Amino acid sequence: MNRFFKPAPVTTAGSSGSASCPQRSLGRGAAWLIVLLATCVSLPRASAQTDTKQPVTDAGQRLKWHAQHLQMRAESPWRGLNWRHIGPLHMSGRVTDIAKPVGQPFTFYVATASGGIWKTENEGTTWQSMFDDAPSASVGAITCDPKRPDTVWAGMGESNIFRSSMSGTGVYRSTNGGRNWEHMGLEDTHHIARIVIHPQDSSTVYVAAGGHEYTENEERGVFKTTDGGKSWRKILYESSMAGASELVMDPHDPQTLFAAMWHRIRRPWSDPVPGPGGGIYRSRDGGETWELLSNGLPQRDLAGRTGLGMTAAKKGRIYALIDNHETARAAREGETDSYGRQRQAVIKGAEVYRSDDYGDTWELVSGGNRRMMGLFSTYGWVFGQI
């Protein structure tokens, strides 16, 4: 497979013009041909089993299918036809991440859950799609290299865990501001939450990967490369059902990292719930060794998705937004959840914790806030960033 692909040109939103359309019609026969081609594509059928050991499509096979798609399109007799956008205006669904290149005050990138990557060079007045030809349209993370502003890393597959979440195909890198992209591996991670680049060494990159959504797999946790993505090492791993939901680097010391692990798997018939393998970890040596932090934090197997954030204004301070499933109180008669079902108990839900000593001890700083308790409304597996 060719590791490179180039986004197709599109009309930028907000501009006065529109893409030109060739003065010829597909005709009824060609339209039927397109429908038949679409229905003849053989897709993997979901297993009727409900356990997490069911067969899954090999990630390498998905990349081969994508390469076949690009070849068929290049050889198609209708390859000269262009699509013209006629609406709706608002596209791309959920925004999952935003990246800002250093030294480019009017440029930033936006990653979306189902619409690829978008770039603006004029503070959002117009936009260009930068990821049209990728094997997946779902992006979980995007990051600009602090030393090389035109080098952009993208992690495919949103970290949210909706039933409608599409899986990704690993990590991609562009060295020319998103015009071309190269596949850099980790294709079986499926869902990537964060990419962190060493501020002084562009070859050192960390990836927080969630893994498969419905099935168990080993390619999840925190990964590290020291050769610019040529090879990867898994440096933090809990189990085949736990993935990484967040990763932050100390702005004062790039050797200090914090990672949030999450029992990140769901059943087809229910919402995801916490389980073994969650928690906040700290590394002082660039990810080579990790220690579990627990002093002042919720019970580990009842902590759901966790978001982390550090401030450069105060050394040692870190915040954690935790979906705490510990019971806050018993449910009242007739009290229902977001689906209209009778609640069994009301969980504590969204809680913010703060540490001023690099995670040695934590303090609940949102306690007693009823609005925080209802903020997630059982959807803490979606709103997990701070």
Side-chain angles (χ1 to χ4, degrees):
M1 173 190 172
N2 188 349
R3 287 159 60 89
F4 297 88
F5 70 89
K6 182 177 181 180
V10 297
T11 305
T12 53
S15 60
S16 57
S18 60
S20 60
C21 185
Q23 297 300 311
R24 47 180 166 161
S25 172
L26 287 174
R28 293 186 62 185
W32 275 109
L33 176 62
I34 291 174
V35 172
L36 288 173
L37 286 173
T39 56
C40 287
V41 175
S42 178
L43 297 177
R45 184 179 300 276
S47 170
Q49 301 175 11
T50 55
D51 62 82
T52 58
K53 298 295 185 181
Q54 58 183 299
V56 295
T57 304
D58 178 70
Q61 182 63 53
R62 295 168 62 204
L63 291 174
K64 291 180 181 178
W65 285 335
H66 176 249
Q68 183 183 22
H69 154 72
L70 294 179
Q71 181 180 355
M72 292 173 64
R73 190 180 66 180
E75 297 172 353
S76 169
W78 296 285
R79 61 184 176 275
L81 294 180
N82 294 321
W83 290 95
R84 179 166 58 92
H85 177 227
I86 59 175
L89 176 63
H90 301 291
M91 301 187 298
S92 297
R94 300 177 290 278
V95 169
T96 54
D97 204 1
I98 298 174
K100 180 78 176 65
V102 176
Q104 299 179 16
F106 307 119
T107 299
F108 56 93
Y109 301 83
V110 171
T112 66
S114 58
I117 295 172
W118 295 80
K119 179 182 181 180
T120 178
E121 296 178 293
N122 50 22
E123 293 188 295
T125 304
T126 59
W127 295 87
Q128 182 182 3
S129 177
M130 308 302 293
F131 221 67
D132 281 354
D133 287 338
S136 173
S138 181
V139 188
I142 188 165
T143 305
C144 295
D145 190 325
K147 291 190 67 178
R148 302 172 180 174
D150 285 332
T151 296
V152 187
W153 288 75
M156 305 304 290
E158 65 170 325
S159 183
N160 304 315
I161 195 166
F162 287 101
R163 289 186 178 90
S164 59
S165 294
M166 295 185 292
S167 60
T169 51
V171 179
Y172 291 78
R173 183 185 64 185
S174 172
T175 58
N176 55 10
R179 292 193 298 275
N180 303 91
W181 296 86
E182 180 183 5
H183 185 239
M184 305 305 294
L186 299 181
E187 56 266 19
D188 204 34
T189 53
H190 276 206
H191 300 275
I192 292 177
R194 192 72 65 206
I195 299 176
V196 177
I197 305 173
H198 194 288
Q200 286 90 42
D201 180 10
S202 298
S203 296
T204 299
V205 181
Y206 301 86
V207 171
H212 294 186
E213 181 166 329
Y214 292 103
T215 57
E216 297 183 38
N217 77 309
E218 297 298 317
E219 201 162 333
R220 55 172 79 208
V222 179
F223 295 81
K224 178 182 181 180
T225 179
T226 56
D227 54 16
K230 295 178 182 178
S231 63
W232 296 89
R233 288 189 299 119
K234 185 163 53 178
I235 58 175
L236 180 59
Y237 174 78
E238 272 282 357
S239 74
S240 61
M241 300 176 71
S245 64
E246 186 63 279
L247 181 68
V248 295
M249 178 182 286
D250 183 358
H252 299 282
D253 177 16
Q255 289 293 100
T256 299
L257 299 163
F258 294 86
M261 298 296 285
W262 176 25
H263 184 79
R264 193 198 178 281
I265 200 163
R266 70 179 299 168
R267 306 298 186 183
W269 60 86
S270 68
D271 290 343
V273 293
I280 300 175
Y281 285 81
R282 179 182 64 195
S283 173
R284 296 281 200 173
D285 53 11
E288 297 305 311
T289 59
W290 297 83
E291 56 183 317
L292 178 65
L293 307 176
S294 59
N295 191 357
L297 292 173
Q299 185 176 330
R300 186 184 179 198
D301 59 355
L302 292 178
R305 181 175 179 175
T306 297
L308 300 173
M310 294 197 75
T311 171
K314 184 177 177 60
K315 287 187 176 182
R317 175 167 289 184
I318 181 171
Y319 292 90
L321 173 62
I322 300 178
D323 181 23
N324 188 355
H325 281 243
E326 294 176 356
T327 299
R329 61 173 175 81
R332 297 184 292 269
E333 182 67 29
E335 187 174 3
T336 59
D337 62 15
S338 301
Y339 299 99
R341 302 170 300 193
Q342 171 65 44
R343 288 185 183 272
Q344 301 301 312
V346 177
I347 64 173
K348 294 180 179 180
E351 290 186 328
V352 176
Y353 291 80
R354 189 187 75 206
S355 172
D356 289 328
D357 53 13
Y358 289 98
D360 286 337
T361 60
W362 296 82
E363 176 187 3
L364 176 64
V365 292
S366 63
N369 190 322
R370 295 180 60 187
R371 291 191 177 186
M372 287 293 294
M373 183 181 295
L375 180 64
F376 284 167
S377 189
T378 74
Y379 285 91
W381 32 274
V382 180
F383 313 106
Q385 300 183 40
I386 184 167

